[in-house]
């Protein structure tokens, strides 16, 4: 089996701007004359899920056409590039590394050539048993070309001896554990699959017919990508489901694994997904507002204004303000133009207080008792910085309210998190954290409060429906930690 692709000169995606933790985003379209253009717009809408690299692969004339590069979607693709990706089926990917190192060779879609033809794979998630499968496959003679665990799937497919490619993929998917949403493109078909717990969001949509083609089908990690391309949400890809679509508009749904205990990632609701997306029918902005409202009920404080940290905690801050009947104010401003590779101030300038990304609004916070709502504390660096910013701008008191419980445990299922020792909540009590970040008070939302506020219909209790592993250390599936499984380590945070 051969891995093919464009090996452009690798430009470090992280550069001076290291932003850990956003996972990957995938998009796919079949039955549309401008499939690669749809991918471009869809991936652009999913850019928040990964900024390190991106790629699109289309199928036309019995072969693949693809382009991958380091950087943002708008930086990697030109109009000419997209025109050179013809065909009515294409898949795409934006990547933040949750597994494997930061190189173009790991940029997706990964493309493989094997006896059955060509295979392009785009994925979001982490395969917890990838190290075991990889060792097993290597012992049997497989030669791996990348450090990405997605390649494990390709080798399993290549080694399967079933009659059709779909059967090969079906058998391979069955062997995978962990969190995954896959889009697999062959020269004739598009396959979508989701792990049996449904850890990562993954939806299917449809588009109105164009020209001679029938209804086009699109897939995306988040529904905001459907809005970006004018598609209509159809349904979620179900846990354990494999969908096979061809360019004639035929669609087949197979169950490669029995659905297991549902484990949608709670951090998707709290932080990752875009506020205009829906997961399982729940709009993210509304869910975050409810988190903020619940937080206000659990941890009210006398104050003058409420502010959120742009952009991720604004919805929760609005909810907190509404419930506590305090004014919501824009106490913090984010500069949108710092980009990925901004020049960081020297130590000297930094000490003078040169700030590139976030500023406090003196006119709003000066002399005020401020409630600062954020969605989570991971290492504690963001909260420490923001409390300091607010105080420098004259805030009289700073009360920090977090719209999720203390983040104490690493993620094994697709989110890049620091090691347990680096997670401030795993080392310090809430009072110690309050002192460490210099806040007047600090409160976290309870796990029950969080799950009830999110309001997924099947979740009557905190242990149903969600993965709460990072908060509770109870994961809905084997983490393979005992077998040497590792969470994926992040880098220094820069928000
Ligand atoms: P920290 O400074 O390490 O405490 O990071 C917490 C901030 O980063 C929060 O304000 C979140 O909005 C954001 N965040 C939460 N989880 C993650 C993650 N896994 N990766 C990157 N950023 C995150």
């Amino acid at each position: 089996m051969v891995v093919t692709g464009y090996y452009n000169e690798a430009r470090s995606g992280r550069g001076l701007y290291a932003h850990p933790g956003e996972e990957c985003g995938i998009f796919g379209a079949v039955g549309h004359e401008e499939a690669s253009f749809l991918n471009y717009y869809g991936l652009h809408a999913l850019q928040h899920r990964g900024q390190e690299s991106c790629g699109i692969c289309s199928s036309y004339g019995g072969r693949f056409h693809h382009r991958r590069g380091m950087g943002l979607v708008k930086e990697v693709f030109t109009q000419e590039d997209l025109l050179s990706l013809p065909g009515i089926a294409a898949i795409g990917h934006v990547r933040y590394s949750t597994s494997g190192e930061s190189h173009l060779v790991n940029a997706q879609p990964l493309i493989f050539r094997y006896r059955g033809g060509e295979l392009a794979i785009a994925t979001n998630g982490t395969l917890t048993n990838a190290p075991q499968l990889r060792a097993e496959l290597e012992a049997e003679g497989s030669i791996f070309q990348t450090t990405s665990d997605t390649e494990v799937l390709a080798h399993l497919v290549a080694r399967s001896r079933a009659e059709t490619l779909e059967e090969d993929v079906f058998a391979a998917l069955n062997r995978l554990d962990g969190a995954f949403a896959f889009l697999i493109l062959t020269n004739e078909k598009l396959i979508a699959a989701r792990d049996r717990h449904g850890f990562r969001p993954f939806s299917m949509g449809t588009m109105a017919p164009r020209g001679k083609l029938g209804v086009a089908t699109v897939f995306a990690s988040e529904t905001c990508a459907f809005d970006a391309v004018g598609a209509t949400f159809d349904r979620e890809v179900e846990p354990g489901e494999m969908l096979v679509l061809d360019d004639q508009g035929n669609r087949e749904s197979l169950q490669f694994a029995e659905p297991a205990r549902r484990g949608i990632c709670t951090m998707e609701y709290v932080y990752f997904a875009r506020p205009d997306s829906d997961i399982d029918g729940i709009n993210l902005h509304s869910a975050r507002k409810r988190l903020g409202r619940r937080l206000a009920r659990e941890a009210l404080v006398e104050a003058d204004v409420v502010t959120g940290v742009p952009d991720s905690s604004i919805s929760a801050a609005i909810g907190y303000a509404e419930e506590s009947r305090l004014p919501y104010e824009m106490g913090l401003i984010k500069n949108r133009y710092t980009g990925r590779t901004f020049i960081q101030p020297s130590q000297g300038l930094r000490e003078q207080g040169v700030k590139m990304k976030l500023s406090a609004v003196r006119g709003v916070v000066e002399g005020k008792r401020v409630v600062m709502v954020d969605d989570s504390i991971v290492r504690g660096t963001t909260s420490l910085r923001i409390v300091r910013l607010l105080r420098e701008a004259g805030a009289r008191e700073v009360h920090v309210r977090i719209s999720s419980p203390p983040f104490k445990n690493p993620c094994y299922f697709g989110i890049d998190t620091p090691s347990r020792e680096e997670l401030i909540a795993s080392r310090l009590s809430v009072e110690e954290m309050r002192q460490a970040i210099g806040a007047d008070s600090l409160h976290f939302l309870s796990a029950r409060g969080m799950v009830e506020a999110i309001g997924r219909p099947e979740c009557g209790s905190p242990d149903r429906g969600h993965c709460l592993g990072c908060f509770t250390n109870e994961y809905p599936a084997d983490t393979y930690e005992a077998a040497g499984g590792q969470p994926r380590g992040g880098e220094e945070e820069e928000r």
Side-chain angles (χ1 to χ4, degrees):
M1 187 174 59
V2 185
V3 186
T4 61
Y6 281 79
Y7 296 94
N8 302 349
E9 189 188 329
R11 173 157 68 85
S12 164
R14 293 196 175 148
L16 291 166
Y17 176 48
H19 193 294
E22 280 162 66
E23 333 146 275
C24 300
I26 58 176
F27 187 89
V30 61
H32 197 285
E33 284 158 350
E34 293 173 300
S36 60
F37 282 84
L38 290 183
N39 268 263
Y40 175 83
Y41 295 116
L43 292 178
H44 187 254
L46 299 174
Q47 190 76 78
H48 59 288
R49 299 182 71 86
Q51 300 94 45
E52 182 186 274
S53 66
C54 56
I56 298 175
C57 176
S58 71
S59 176
Y60 180 69
R63 69 181 188 91
F64 283 165
H65 305 262
H66 51 100
R67 170 157 175 75
R68 301 179 298 180
M70 303 300 291
L72 303 179
V73 175
K74 67 173 186 194
E75 297 167 348
V76 168
F77 293 97
T78 63
Q79 178 105 3
E80 289 70 43
D81 291 331
L82 295 171
L83 289 169
S84 72
L85 303 172
I88 61 167
I91 61 170
H93 189 262
V94 287
R95 178 173 197 263
Y96 178 78
S97 147
T98 54
S99 168
E101 283 137 29
S102 160
H103 296 306
L104 188 59
V105 69
N106 282 328
Q108 295 191 22
L110 288 177
I111 294 167
F112 306 92
R113 195 168 290 138
Y114 82 115
R115 61 179 163 78
E118 283 181 305
L119 209 62
I121 306 180
T123 182
N124 172 206
T126 303
L127 305 180
T128 38
N129 63 341
Q132 285 75 10
L133 291 172
R134 190 180 172 116
E136 192 184 300
L137 287 158
E138 282 176 339
E140 288 166 11
S142 291
I143 298 169
F144 280 76
Q145 314 261 342
T146 71
T147 52
S148 162
D149 52 6
T150 306
E151 197 182 345
V152 168
L153 173 64
H155 283 276
L156 287 172
V157 172
R159 285 183 168 267
S160 165
R161 288 287 172 262
E163 294 211 336
T164 64
L165 179 93
E166 290 91 293
E167 286 167 4
D168 285 337
V169 172
F170 186 97
L173 288 170
N174 223 298
R175 300 213 48 207
L176 304 180
D177 285 339
F180 56 84
F182 275 118
L183 281 171
I184 303 167
L185 185 68
T186 72
N187 294 130
E188 288 91 32
K189 303 217 163 132
L190 180 75
I191 298 173
R194 189 176 186 193
D195 71 75
R196 65 196 81 193
H197 300 274
F199 279 104
R200 298 285 138 221
F202 195 24
S203 299
M204 175 166 67
T206 45
M207 294 189 68
R210 274 192 87 230
K212 287 191 228 84
L213 297 171
V215 175
T217 305
V218 288
F219 291 92
S221 295
E222 284 183 39
T223 59
C224 63
F226 296 158
D227 299 328
V229 301
T232 310
F233 170 79
D234 184 355
R235 67 173 175 85
E236 304 265 328
V237 179
E238 296 298 331
E241 185 182 25
M242 166 176 156
L243 283 148
V244 186
L245 295 95
D246 66 19
D247 49 16
Q248 310 300 310
N250 299 310
R251 180 198 292 176
E252 190 182 7
S253 165
L254 305 163
Q255 203 67 36
F256 69 87
E258 279 303 306
R261 179 182 143 186
R262 275 308 300 272
I264 183 81
C265 167
T266 313
M267 280 302 282
E268 294 277 358
Y269 286 99
V270 168
Y271 165 74
F272 285 112
R274 241 170 65 161
D276 52 340
S277 289
D278 294 348
I279 302 177
D280 275 353
I282 293 175
N283 167 250
L284 271 291
H285 166 71
S286 312
R288 285 175 193 159
K289 263 181 75 174
R290 291 195 295 275
L291 291 170
R293 282 181 166 276
R294 177 75 180 228
L295 182 59
R297 289 207 290 280
E298 290 188 7
L300 203 59
V301 61
E302 263 192 42
D304 302 307
V305 289
V306 178
T307 192
V309 187
D311 296 316
S312 55
S313 74
I314 287 177
S315 310
I318 294 172
Y320 190 100
E322 280 181 3
E323 184 70 24
S324 60
R325 298 179 188 277
L326 290 170
Y328 173 81
E329 289 285 0
M330 213 188 281
L332 294 159
I333 298 283
K334 184 172 172 180
N335 186 333
R336 292 181 196 289
Y337 304 103
T338 37
R340 294 164 53 74
T341 50
F342 65 77
I343 298 167
Q344 281 194 325
S346 66
Q347 187 56 28
L349 286 176
R350 201 175 292 135
E351 279 162 19
Q352 273 181 27
V354 174
K355 294 168 195 86
M356 294 207 61
K357 289 217 76 181
L358 214 54
S359 313
V361 184
R362 180 173 292 276
V364 167
V365 302
E366 194 164 29
K368 301 272 174 56
R369 296 168 299 173
V370 179
V371 181
M372 190 276 274
V373 178
D374 203 355
D375 51 77
S376 54
I377 294 183
V378 181
R379 288 190 179 87
T381 31
T382 306
S383 302
L384 173 69
R385 254 186 244 160
I386 292 172
V387 171
R388 203 178 283 158
L389 272 179
L390 291 168
R391 288 205 196 282
E392 283 168 6
R396 188 148 56 90
E397 291 172 15
V398 182
H399 300 277
V400 177
R401 295 291 179 272
I402 303 295
S403 61
S404 61
F407 193 121
K408 293 185 175 174
N409 313 286
C411 177
Y412 299 82
F413 299 101
I415 293 181
D416 215 16
T417 44
S419 63
R420 199 181 297 271
E421 303 71 61
E422 290 171 89
L423 297 169
I424 187 170
S426 80
R427 287 183 284 111
L428 304 183
S429 67
V430 173
E431 170 55 19
E432 287 165 335
M433 280 191 269
R434 182 196 69 75
Q435 289 173 22
I437 64 172
D440 290 285
S441 71
L442 168 66
H443 279 279
F444 291 84
L445 184 60
S446 66
R448 177 174 288 276
M450 177 176 65
V451 167
E452 287 178 0
I454 290 170
R456 284 165 52 86
E458 79 271 35
C459 299
S461 70
D463 63 348
R464 283 179 54 211
H466 288 259
C467 177
L468 295 165
C470 54
F471 306 117
T472 61
N473 204 24
E474 280 171 39
Y475 301 85
D478 190 354
T479 63
Y480 284 79
E481 200 174 16
Q486 292 285 324
R488 308 299 176 186
E491 289 187 1
E492 193 49 43
E493 172 77 9
E494 181 71 58
R495 180 164 162 159

